[in-house]
Amino acid sequence: MKREELEILRALWKNPLDIWELLIHYDNDIKGFYDTLESLKKHNLIDFEETLIKITPKGIDYLKESHAIPYIETKCPSCKGLLYDTTKFKEVLEKFSEIFASRPSETTEFDQGVVPEENSIRRLEFVYERGDLEGKEILFLGDDDLTSVAFALTNLPKRIVVLDVDKRIIDYINTVAKRHNLNLEAFLYNAKDRIKEDFVGKFDVFLTDPVETVKGMVLFLSRCAITLKGEKSSGYFGLSHLESSLKKWHEVEKNLLEMNLVITDALRDFNGYLLVGERILHEHYYVVEKSPVKVNPPYKLWYRSTFIRVELIDKPNPKFTEDLEWGRDLYFDDETYVVRP
């Protein structure tokens, strides 16, 4: 039995599940998920009923023959496998939650996906633990979830700069920074443009959440890499399994190594995104349009990504340094199921 088949069948053993619940149990891209569902249905191991996917008696027999057991939740019930306790920065979370509540709403124009405020605090705690917060000069490339503000509220970094293509985000961050006297500046920037000399080689740490095409990820990481000071500088970014197959991970990792960046840490499913509610049904996302069953509005943080830390082992060697004229293909490839085509 293939691993992805096992993940689906054992999750269904006790109860039927809808698309969003079942995706959480699946360890590959959404395209592969739908292909696997169709294959299991073809072999009469599962069946579809309205919005639900359920296992058949033949599917249960198949599991038993493979010495499988129904899925058991093994993650810590307190942190749900996220490892970090947001109460350690309680005051920061309280202030940040007030600021977060009034943020500009996300837009599909720029493939924005926002994490809850607690998620930003967990990012903060991880970066703090790794020694990449206190006294550091930190660059954010894209920050629609305002994690930069959470970092600045600690008063621990020496300097924080945000570069973002959305003027609403830039204006809001600068307004918040002025109101709360934060060491934080935001500048309008499109990743297709070269990095200004003022930012080249000036930062100890970067954080970014790139679009999930290979060219998009390599572009964002290149732009970030060129801003680093040199050896021992570090960076953080998110990479999902839902829109990035292992072949795509392989391409990204190869490019990281060629840029002199090495992966030091990877926190699986660490970032959960607020892709919930009725709106997602009307954005023409493939995750809805290609589903083999009827899809109801998602009600939980079903879209998750791995939070990855990288570190420079030599001078940065970015793949892209000049201006580019790429189009919509920056955001979209055949594995992209949660971006407007």
Side-chain angles (χ1 to χ4, degrees):
M1 183 186 303
K2 295 179 180 178
R3 182 170 58 89
E4 54 266 35
E5 294 176 344
L6 172 64
E7 289 171 338
I8 290 172
L9 290 173
R10 71 181 182 184
L12 297 172
W13 195 331
K14 291 183 178 179
N15 297 293
L17 298 175
D18 65 17
I19 285 292
W20 311 115
E21 294 171 308
L22 193 53
L23 266 172
I24 293 172
H25 292 275
Y26 188 70
D27 184 36
N28 215 320
D29 57 281
I30 300 172
K31 183 178 184 299
F33 173 64
Y34 285 162
D35 289 344
T36 302
L37 287 182
E38 293 291 357
S39 175
L40 292 173
K41 173 85 163 51
K42 180 180 177 181
H43 290 90
N44 196 31
L45 300 176
I46 62 171
D47 203 358
F48 303 148
E49 186 176 285
E50 296 275 333
T51 62
L52 298 176
I53 300 105
K54 62 180 183 180
I55 195 168
T56 64
K58 183 178 178 181
I60 293 175
D61 290 341
Y62 185 49
L63 284 172
K64 290 178 178 178
E65 290 168 3
S66 301
H67 305 286
I69 60 174
Y71 179 76
I72 299 171
E73 180 57 72
T74 57
K75 293 177 181 176
C76 166
S78 298
C79 72
K80 295 181 172 60
L82 297 176
L83 304 177
Y84 292 85
D85 179 3
T86 56
T87 61
K88 304 303 180 184
F89 282 86
K90 183 180 179 181
E91 292 183 6
V92 172
L93 175 57
E94 290 173 352
K95 291 180 182 178
F96 180 58
S97 293
E98 294 176 7
I99 295 168
F100 184 83
S102 300
R103 78 193 191 283
S105 59
E106 60 269 28
T107 171
T108 57
E109 180 181 359
F110 304 123
D111 186 30
Q112 291 176 345
V114 178
V115 300
E117 53 267 44
E118 294 86 358
N119 206 142
S120 289
I121 300 303
R122 289 191 181 94
R123 288 175 175 174
L124 162 66
E125 291 171 334
F126 178 51
V127 172
Y128 164 77
E129 180 192 11
R130 302 298 285 117
D132 290 330
L133 187 70
E134 295 148 301
K136 302 299 184 182
E137 295 184 84
I138 302 175
L139 175 85
F140 283 78
L141 178 52
D143 192 29
D144 46 278
D145 44 37
L146 307 183
T147 302
S148 63
V149 174
F151 278 46
L153 287 170
T154 67
N155 293 313
L156 293 176
K158 181 179 179 180
R159 178 193 184 202
I160 300 177
V161 168
V162 176
L163 304 179
D164 200 290
V165 71
D166 190 339
K167 188 176 185 300
R168 302 172 309 146
I169 299 295
I170 297 301
D171 291 344
Y172 188 67
I173 289 175
N174 284 330
T175 298
V176 167
K178 184 176 181 180
R179 182 186 305 146
H180 294 271
N181 194 29
L182 301 177
N183 192 9
L184 169 64
E185 296 177 281
F187 300 90
L188 194 63
Y189 170 73
N190 191 318
K192 298 175 187 177
D193 301 329
R194 72 181 70 191
I195 291 286
K196 291 183 178 179
E197 285 299 320
D198 293 349
F199 300 136
V200 174
K202 296 296 193 298
F203 295 91
D204 303 291
V205 181
F206 74 75
L207 286 94
T208 189
D209 219 352
V211 297
E212 294 223 6
T213 59
V214 171
K215 64 192 303 182
M217 284 184 278
V218 175
L219 174 61
F220 273 62
L221 292 168
S222 290
R223 299 307 193 200
C224 289
I226 201 170
T227 71
L228 295 179
K229 294 178 179 178
E231 187 177 355
K232 300 295 183 182
S233 296
S234 61
Y236 298 79
F237 68 98
L239 180 58
S240 83
H241 286 278
L242 293 180
E243 293 190 284
S244 294
S245 65
L246 292 183
K247 289 184 178 179
K248 191 182 286 187
W249 276 62
H250 183 242
E251 287 299 314
V252 173
E253 291 181 37
K254 283 197 303 182
N255 279 277
L256 283 171
L257 293 174
E258 290 170 4
M259 286 190 276
N260 289 329
L261 290 164
V262 61
I263 295 174
T264 64
D265 303 84
L267 300 179
R268 181 174 181 80
D269 290 346
F270 191 77
N271 298 315
Y273 294 84
L274 293 169
L275 295 169
V276 296
E278 183 76 25
R279 181 179 65 87
I280 196 173
L281 301 186
H282 309 295
E283 296 290 354
H284 303 292
Y285 292 157
Y286 283 179
V287 67
V288 173
E289 294 191 346
K290 292 184 178 294
S291 171
V293 297
K294 181 181 176 182
V295 177
N296 284 330
Y299 48 89
K300 59 174 62 179
L301 300 180
W302 62 275
Y303 193 100
R304 304 174 185 190
S305 74
T306 297
F307 196 44
I308 296 172
R309 181 184 185 272
V310 293
E311 188 169 310
L312 267 178
I313 52 106
D314 204 334
K315 293 179 181 178
N317 183 35
K319 293 284 185 168
F320 302 107
T321 58
E322 302 302 317
D323 296 337
L324 298 169
E325 296 183 0
W326 290 346
R328 188 66 185 165
D329 57 340
L330 173 63
Y331 295 92
F332 203 82
D333 62 23
D334 61 0
E335 295 179 5
T336 309
Y337 271 55
V338 198
V339 174
R340 178 170 50 83

